[in-house]
Amino acid sequence: MNPIPELLLIEDDPQIRRFLRVAIEPEFYRLREAVTAADGLAQAAARQPDLILLDLGLPDGDGLDLIAKVRQFSGAPILVISARGNERDRVAALDIGADDFIGKPFGTGELLARIRAALRRVARPAGLAGTIRFGLVEADLDARIVKVAGAEVHLTPIEFKLLQTLLRYSGRVVTQRQLLNEVWGPNQVEHAQYLRVYVAQLRRKLEENPARPRHLLTEPGVGYRMLIE
Ligand code: CA
């Protein structure tokens, strides 16, 4: 990563560009801007930004196509900013390789938190090992031991794999399809009910109040987001 993280904003709406500039620049990120898909793609290739903020509705092309093209040469986090409230678009953007989305209108605080989470993920070395703590939970991923308030809880192999996968993507939204693919395998991606059952089990074992989870959150219609801070 660059010493000063460089963000590329691809957005055609001048008001939103201005809003983002005002929000982002005081945080000492370097911000580059593109107003078309073509220029966005060219700058993403030439500058190799640390993170891309992308509007899905661009004058010369669809943001979804742009994500697929950028993913051919860059692993930089892509945070989609979109007025399209439509869940299908969000799921499509995430499945094609975006890391997260934020719906318009959004607040500065939330936007900056998402940017920090995405940049942290890149800064973290590949893979996940050691002990991760959140709430009352202490998960030793090497020894595969999970404790809640100091007492060991038994997780089934699938529960452990689901937890491990959610932790690897912590801070980001993960679609149901991604989770089913990674935990159960590519032949099981239609079985959303598996996920509901196992998420409920994990919440019962790990959350202080499973009915109002603070860590394993549902993103309605899209998937789940694990928060560990
Ligand atoms: Ca637009």
Side-chain angles (χ1 to χ4, degrees):
M1 197 173 343
N2 295 313
I4 298 174
E6 190 167 305
L7 276 47
L8 172 62
L9 167 63
I10 309 172
E11 164 68 81
D12 61 324
D13 183 330
Q15 271 181 307
I16 293 183
R17 281 207 312 280
R18 195 174 325 118
F19 172 78
L20 288 166
R21 210 179 295 137
V22 169
I24 287 171
E25 280 182 341
E27 299 294 317
F28 299 105
Y29 297 123
R30 191 167 286 141
L31 186 65
R32 310 283 177 188
E33 296 177 24
V35 299
T36 62
D39 186 31
L41 184 62
Q43 288 204 48
R47 300 198 155 278
Q48 299 286 329
D50 297 298
L51 181 142
I52 297 169
L53 289 159
L54 173 68
D55 173 29
L56 286 183
L58 293 166
D60 62 330
D62 191 87
L64 293 177
D65 295 335
L66 185 58
I67 295 170
K69 287 180 187 149
V70 168
R71 274 293 167 258
Q72 290 173 7
F73 60 82
S74 169
I78 299 176
L79 210 165
V80 167
I81 38 176
S82 179
R84 304 190 200 175
N86 185 328
E87 284 162 1
R88 215 158 36 156
D89 279 333
R90 292 177 172 185
V91 173
L94 293 164
D95 277 339
I96 216 166
D99 289 69
D100 204 349
F101 63 80
I102 186 159
K104 295 173 189 170
F106 49 83
T108 306
E110 188 182 4
L111 173 77
L112 293 173
R114 297 284 175 85
I115 290 175
R116 284 194 300 271
L119 290 174
R120 261 201 309 275
R121 180 181 66 75
V122 183
R124 257 200 314 261
L128 198 59
T131 299
I132 302 211
R133 292 181 180 82
F134 56 94
L136 300 175
V137 178
E138 196 180 305
D140 182 336
L141 298 176
D142 301 321
R144 303 174 75 91
I145 293 173
V146 178
K147 292 178 180 173
V148 177
E152 190 171 341
V153 292
H154 175 74
L155 297 190
T156 69
I158 289 281
E159 287 169 353
F160 186 82
K161 203 167 169 191
L162 177 60
L163 175 64
Q164 208 175 19
T165 307
L166 286 163
L167 287 172
R168 197 166 70 243
Y169 292 103
S170 65
R172 314 163 52 182
V173 58
V174 200
T175 65
Q176 297 186 357
R177 198 179 181 83
Q178 284 174 306
L179 285 169
L180 286 162
N181 182 38
E182 293 204 26
V183 177
W184 281 272
N187 298 326
Q188 310 294 331
V189 293
E190 306 303 332
H191 292 145
Q193 75 277 17
Y194 292 179
L195 204 47
R196 279 194 295 276
V197 168
Y198 277 85
V199 164
Q201 286 171 199
L202 266 188
R203 281 177 176 153
R204 271 199 302 276
K205 292 181 179 182
L206 305 181
E207 293 277 358
E208 281 176 72
N209 180 354
R212 311 190 87 187
R214 289 180 50 205
H215 302 287
L216 207 178
L217 308 183
T218 300
E219 287 283 343
V222 178
Y224 297 92
R225 185 193 299 272
M226 190 79 187
L227 288 184
I228 59 171
E229 45 197 280

